[in-house]
Amino acid sequence: MPNTGRPSRDCHLCRKRRVKCDLARPACHRCIKYGAECPGYRDQQELVFRNADPTALKKRKKRTPQTPGVDESPSSASDTGFSTPALSPNGDFMFTPSTDVVLVNGVNCNAVAPLTRPVFQHWTSHSVPIVLNVYSNFDFIQDIYNSYNIDGPLIWAAHLFSRTYVTNLRYPTAISRDAHAETERELGGYLGKALNSVNKALSTPDGAFRDDVLATIWLLSNYELLVGSLNRTETLSPWHLHARGLYSILKIRGVAPLYTAKGRMSFWPAYSMVQIQSLINNTECPPESQEWFDVIAQSPFPGEALGLHVSLFISKVCSVQAKIFSFFRRRDFSGASREYGDLFAQMKAATHELEDWMESNPADNHMLEIYVISLYQSAIVKGFNAVKLLINFLTHYPPCPIPLQQLMADRDYCVEIAQISAQGILESVPRILGPLAAKGNEKSPKTVFDAVRTLWPLICVYVMEICRSEQRLAAEEYLFYIGRELGVRQGLNTYSGKLTLPQEARTPFGEHGGL
């Protein structure tokens, strides 16, 4: 029968979103504004006639217009039974069915009628599964999400992390300015809720002992890497504040949790972040570190020995570089001259000790061990770069009792061992990132965690002038790829390597017109 109403002539997407369409052809301006491909308009005949037959009407209502340009091919399966999500133009997550078998409590979640089109759901419904997919090999996060209720701080952190990850990955640059501002406001709200929830929990007597609070702060620190907020020169930047928060909680918790497997599992990710902050800031590791190491060394769990020995090494490196930079801040040539021999010997002894242990206990190339070795190599680059700066500093001090020839020989040693370690870091990236390191097309959320763990070693190579120019260029290329292809923006926002140094520490006497 003739249509007696006024059916909307808006495009399919504007009608679905219930917003006003400008009816522009071939694509409406609203779709263009929000970076979506306009799906087009209804048939003119459909606008003029409406079939009054109930059966036909029901069938017509079931027909949902498809949005052209949306990739419906499944990628890596997540714990939800769907592939990696994409953002639909209205801000929801779009999932396509996975062909993998996903079991929840022994039930095959995919043993249902196959889906013939993408499923649109609000993104908060799947933020936790996305986090669990990203950290699928990380028991610390998996166990905590299974243990705590749905209204705790970890849930707000999951919303924040997942929304940021998917936005960065799917719309790195094409998203419009208005849509970007709207997303930023939404993320700000979830960040505020996560922080408020953490503060509320920490105000209770047992707050610092709650694993979900520790995990939330750790996840927030990883979120800051997604948005690229790590800056060495801003010690009050969000990433640094989260790292300090992790240390505060570890300090309050003390050694008691370290006697349990669950406590160890939550300790290492948090402490690793704390140590990286010490390396970045040229400060010593927490004074409680040795006490924590002693407890762990009494009864190391399987697979824990390498991480323990590397953490001990990093603590020694941080101690050496903290003393070196204290000389620089005070321009203390006399003190640096007196302690140089001992500091250089400490670096060499710590390196040889760990190398001997690793030779007697060869790694089996497990992914975690590759990462730990890469972290160890970054500490070598950072530590021996500090020693090299100290040598430069002393060449400008005539009363220094160490002969200039010996200082320059020590400097060559520092450069050699740092560049060897830098090369080891670069060679580990393909093994860590897999196909992505070879610039493949597969993008699994599981790769994000591995990419985040490569950030600091790569940044260390990129910003340390002790590395060869081609090594720094290779590190830059890897970082750029991680930032663009995986949505980890810290790869694009590496902090400046220009330290606040006395002029004498930059070049040795007589080199490039040195003093």
Short mmCIF file of all heavy atoms in Angstrom, two decimals, residues 310-339:
data_model
loop_
_atom_site.label_atom_id
_atom_site.label_comp_id
_atom_site.label_asym_id
_atom_site.label_seq_id
_atom_site.Cartn_x
_atom_site.Cartn_y
_atom_site.Cartn_z
N VAL A 310 69.33 -10.92 37.08
CA VAL A 310 69.32 -9.69 36.28
C VAL A 310 68.90 -8.50 37.13
O VAL A 310 69.47 -7.41 37.01
CB VAL A 310 68.40 -9.85 35.06
CG1 VAL A 310 68.16 -8.50 34.37
CG2 VAL A 310 69.00 -10.84 34.06
N SER A 311 67.93 -8.70 38.02
CA SER A 311 67.51 -7.60 38.90
C SER A 311 68.63 -7.19 39.84
O SER A 311 68.81 -5.99 40.13
CB SER A 311 66.27 -8.02 39.71
OG SER A 311 65.14 -8.16 38.86
N LEU A 312 69.38 -8.16 40.34
CA LEU A 312 70.55 -7.85 41.17
C LEU A 312 71.57 -7.02 40.37
O LEU A 312 72.13 -6.04 40.88
CB LEU A 312 71.21 -9.13 41.66
CG LEU A 312 70.56 -9.81 42.87
CD1 LEU A 312 71.06 -11.24 43.02
CD2 LEU A 312 70.84 -9.02 44.15
N PHE A 313 71.79 -7.40 39.13
CA PHE A 313 72.73 -6.67 38.28
C PHE A 313 72.25 -5.24 38.05
O PHE A 313 73.03 -4.28 38.13
CB PHE A 313 72.89 -7.40 36.95
CG PHE A 313 73.71 -6.64 35.95
CD1 PHE A 313 75.08 -6.58 36.04
CD2 PHE A 313 73.08 -5.98 34.90
CE1 PHE A 313 75.84 -5.88 35.11
CE2 PHE A 313 73.82 -5.27 33.96
CZ PHE A 313 75.21 -5.23 34.07
N ILE A 314 70.96 -5.08 37.74
CA ILE A 314 70.42 -3.74 37.49
C ILE A 314 70.56 -2.86 38.73
O ILE A 314 70.87 -1.66 38.62
CB ILE A 314 68.96 -3.84 37.03
CG1 ILE A 314 68.87 -4.51 35.67
CG2 ILE A 314 68.31 -2.46 36.98
CD1 ILE A 314 67.46 -4.75 35.17
N SER A 315 70.35 -3.44 39.90
CA SER A 315 70.53 -2.67 41.13
C SER A 315 71.95 -2.14 41.27
O SER A 315 72.17 -0.99 41.68
CB SER A 315 70.17 -3.53 42.36
OG SER A 315 68.79 -3.84 42.37
N LYS A 316 72.93 -2.97 40.91
CA LYS A 316 74.33 -2.54 40.98
C LYS A 316 74.60 -1.44 39.95
O LYS A 316 75.31 -0.46 40.24
CB LYS A 316 75.25 -3.73 40.75
CG LYS A 316 75.16 -4.80 41.83
CD LYS A 316 75.99 -6.03 41.48
CE LYS A 316 75.82 -7.12 42.54
NZ LYS A 316 76.58 -8.35 42.19
N VAL A 317 74.05 -1.58 38.76
CA VAL A 317 74.22 -0.55 37.73
C VAL A 317 73.61 0.77 38.18
O VAL A 317 74.22 1.84 38.02
CB VAL A 317 73.60 -1.01 36.39
CG1 VAL A 317 73.59 0.14 35.38
CG2 VAL A 317 74.35 -2.20 35.83
N CYS A 318 72.43 0.71 38.74
CA CYS A 318 71.75 1.93 39.19
C CYS A 318 72.56 2.61 40.29
O CYS A 318 72.62 3.85 40.35
CB CYS A 318 70.35 1.60 39.69
SG CYS A 318 69.18 1.18 38.38
N SER A 319 73.17 1.82 41.16
CA SER A 319 73.99 2.40 42.23
C SER A 319 75.18 3.14 41.65
O SER A 319 75.51 4.26 42.07
CB SER A 319 74.45 1.30 43.18
OG SER A 319 75.29 1.82 44.19
N VAL A 320 75.85 2.54 40.64
CA VAL A 320 77.02 3.17 40.02
C VAL A 320 76.63 4.45 39.30
O VAL A 320 77.26 5.50 39.48
CB VAL A 320 77.70 2.18 39.05
CG1 VAL A 320 78.75 2.90 38.20
CG2 VAL A 320 78.35 1.03 39.82
N GLN A 321 75.59 4.39 38.48
CA GLN A 321 75.24 5.58 37.71
C GLN A 321 74.68 6.69 38.60
O GLN A 321 74.87 7.88 38.30
CB GLN A 321 74.25 5.24 36.60
CG GLN A 321 72.85 4.90 37.05
CD GLN A 321 71.91 4.68 35.87
OE1 GLN A 321 72.33 4.57 34.72
NE2 GLN A 321 70.62 4.64 36.15
N ALA A 322 74.04 6.34 39.72
CA ALA A 322 73.56 7.38 40.65
C ALA A 322 74.74 8.16 41.23
O ALA A 322 74.69 9.39 41.36
CB ALA A 322 72.73 6.74 41.76
N LYS A 323 75.81 7.46 41.59
CA LYS A 323 77.00 8.13 42.12
C LYS A 323 77.66 9.00 41.05
O LYS A 323 78.12 10.11 41.32
CB LYS A 323 77.98 7.10 42.66
CG LYS A 323 77.48 6.37 43.89
CD LYS A 323 78.46 5.29 44.35
CE LYS A 323 77.92 4.55 45.56
NZ LYS A 323 78.82 3.44 45.99
N ILE A 324 77.71 8.49 39.83
CA ILE A 324 78.33 9.26 38.74
C ILE A 324 77.58 10.56 38.50
O ILE A 324 78.18 11.64 38.39
CB ILE A 324 78.39 8.40 37.46
CG1 ILE A 324 79.40 7.26 37.62
CG2 ILE A 324 78.74 9.26 36.25
CD1 ILE A 324 79.43 6.29 36.46
N PHE A 325 76.27 10.48 38.46
CA PHE A 325 75.50 11.70 38.18
C PHE A 325 75.49 12.65 39.37
O PHE A 325 75.26 13.85 39.19
CB PHE A 325 74.09 11.34 37.72
CG PHE A 325 74.01 10.99 36.27
CD1 PHE A 325 74.30 9.72 35.81
CD2 PHE A 325 73.67 11.96 35.34
CE1 PHE A 325 74.25 9.40 34.47
CE2 PHE A 325 73.62 11.66 33.98
CZ PHE A 325 73.92 10.38 33.55
N SER A 326 75.72 12.14 40.55
CA SER A 326 75.87 13.05 41.70
C SER A 326 77.14 13.88 41.55
O SER A 326 77.17 15.06 41.92
CB SER A 326 75.88 12.26 43.01
OG SER A 326 77.08 11.52 43.16
N PHE A 327 78.21 13.30 40.99
CA PHE A 327 79.43 14.06 40.71
C PHE A 327 79.16 15.16 39.67
O PHE A 327 79.65 16.28 39.79
CB PHE A 327 80.55 13.14 40.21
CG PHE A 327 81.04 12.15 41.22
CD1 PHE A 327 81.32 10.84 40.86
CD2 PHE A 327 81.24 12.52 42.54
CE1 PHE A 327 81.78 9.92 41.79
CE2 PHE A 327 81.70 11.61 43.48
CZ PHE A 327 81.97 10.30 43.10
N PHE A 328 78.37 14.80 38.67
CA PHE A 328 78.07 15.78 37.63
C PHE A 328 77.27 16.96 38.19
O PHE A 328 77.54 18.11 37.85
CB PHE A 328 77.28 15.11 36.49
CG PHE A 328 78.06 14.09 35.71
CD1 PHE A 328 77.41 13.10 34.97
CD2 PHE A 328 79.44 14.09 35.71
CE1 PHE A 328 78.12 12.17 34.25
CE2 PHE A 328 80.17 13.15 34.99
CZ PHE A 328 79.51 12.19 34.25
N ARG A 329 76.27 16.65 39.01
CA ARG A 329 75.44 17.74 39.56
C ARG A 329 76.27 18.70 40.40
O ARG A 329 76.00 19.91 40.43
CB ARG A 329 74.29 17.14 40.38
CG ARG A 329 73.18 16.52 39.55
CD ARG A 329 71.96 16.21 40.40
NE ARG A 329 72.24 15.19 41.40
CZ ARG A 329 72.10 13.89 41.19
NH1 ARG A 329 71.70 13.45 40.00
NH2 ARG A 329 72.37 13.02 42.14
N ARG A 330 77.26 18.17 41.12
CA ARG A 330 78.10 19.01 41.99
C ARG A 330 79.37 19.50 41.30
O ARG A 330 80.12 20.26 41.90
CB ARG A 330 78.49 18.22 43.25
CG ARG A 330 77.32 17.68 44.05
CD ARG A 330 77.78 17.19 45.42
NE ARG A 330 78.91 16.28 45.35
CZ ARG A 330 78.83 14.96 45.28
NH1 ARG A 330 77.63 14.38 45.25
NH2 ARG A 330 79.91 14.19 45.24
N ARG A 331 79.57 19.03 40.08
CA ARG A 331 80.82 19.30 39.36
C ARG A 331 82.01 18.96 40.26
O ARG A 331 82.98 19.72 40.39
CB ARG A 331 80.88 20.76 38.91
CG ARG A 331 79.88 21.12 37.82
CD ARG A 331 80.05 22.57 37.37
NE ARG A 331 81.39 22.81 36.85
CZ ARG A 331 81.78 22.54 35.60
NH1 ARG A 331 80.92 22.01 34.74
NH2 ARG A 331 83.00 22.80 35.21
N ASP A 332 81.94 17.78 40.83
CA ASP A 332 82.94 17.34 41.81
C ASP A 332 84.03 16.54 41.11
O ASP A 332 84.00 15.30 41.05
CB ASP A 332 82.25 16.50 42.89
CG ASP A 332 83.19 16.08 44.01
OD1 ASP A 332 84.38 16.48 43.96
OD2 ASP A 332 82.74 15.37 44.92
N PHE A 333 85.01 17.22 40.54
CA PHE A 333 86.11 16.55 39.86
C PHE A 333 86.94 15.73 40.83
O PHE A 333 87.36 14.61 40.53
CB PHE A 333 87.00 17.58 39.16
CG PHE A 333 86.40 18.17 37.92
CD1 PHE A 333 85.71 19.37 37.97
CD2 PHE A 333 86.52 17.53 36.71
CE1 PHE A 333 85.16 19.91 36.83
CE2 PHE A 333 85.97 18.06 35.55
CZ PHE A 333 85.29 19.26 35.61
N SER A 334 87.18 16.28 42.01
CA SER A 334 88.03 15.59 42.99
C SER A 334 87.41 14.28 43.45
O SER A 334 88.07 13.23 43.46
CB SER A 334 88.29 16.51 44.18
OG SER A 334 89.05 15.85 45.17
N GLY A 335 86.13 14.32 43.81
CA GLY A 335 85.45 13.10 44.25
C GLY A 335 85.36 12.07 43.14
O GLY A 335 85.54 10.86 43.35
N ALA A 336 85.07 12.53 41.92
CA ALA A 336 84.99 11.61 40.78
C ALA A 336 86.33 10.95 40.52
O ALA A 336 86.40 9.76 40.21
CB ALA A 336 84.52 12.37 39.55
N SER A 337 87.40 11.72 40.68
CA SER A 337 88.74 11.17 40.47
C SER A 337 89.08 10.10 41.50
O SER A 337 89.65 9.07 41.16
CB SER A 337 89.77 12.31 40.53
OG SER A 337 91.08 11.81 40.40
N ARG A 338 88.68 10.33 42.75
CA ARG A 338 88.97 9.36 43.81
C ARG A 338 88.21 8.06 43.62
O ARG A 338 88.73 6.98 43.89
CB ARG A 338 88.63 9.97 45.18
CG ARG A 338 89.61 11.00 45.69
CD ARG A 338 89.37 11.27 47.18
NE ARG A 338 87.98 11.58 47.47
CZ ARG A 338 87.48 12.82 47.44
NH1 ARG A 338 88.25 13.85 47.10
NH2 ARG A 338 86.21 13.04 47.73
N GLU A 339 86.97 8.14 43.19
CA GLU A 339 86.10 6.95 43.16
C GLU A 339 86.00 6.30 41.79
O GLU A 339 85.34 5.27 41.64
CB GLU A 339 84.71 7.31 43.67
CG GLU A 339 84.69 7.76 45.13
CD GLU A 339 83.29 7.74 45.71
OE1 GLU A 339 82.50 6.85 45.32
OE2 GLU A 339 82.98 8.62 46.53
#
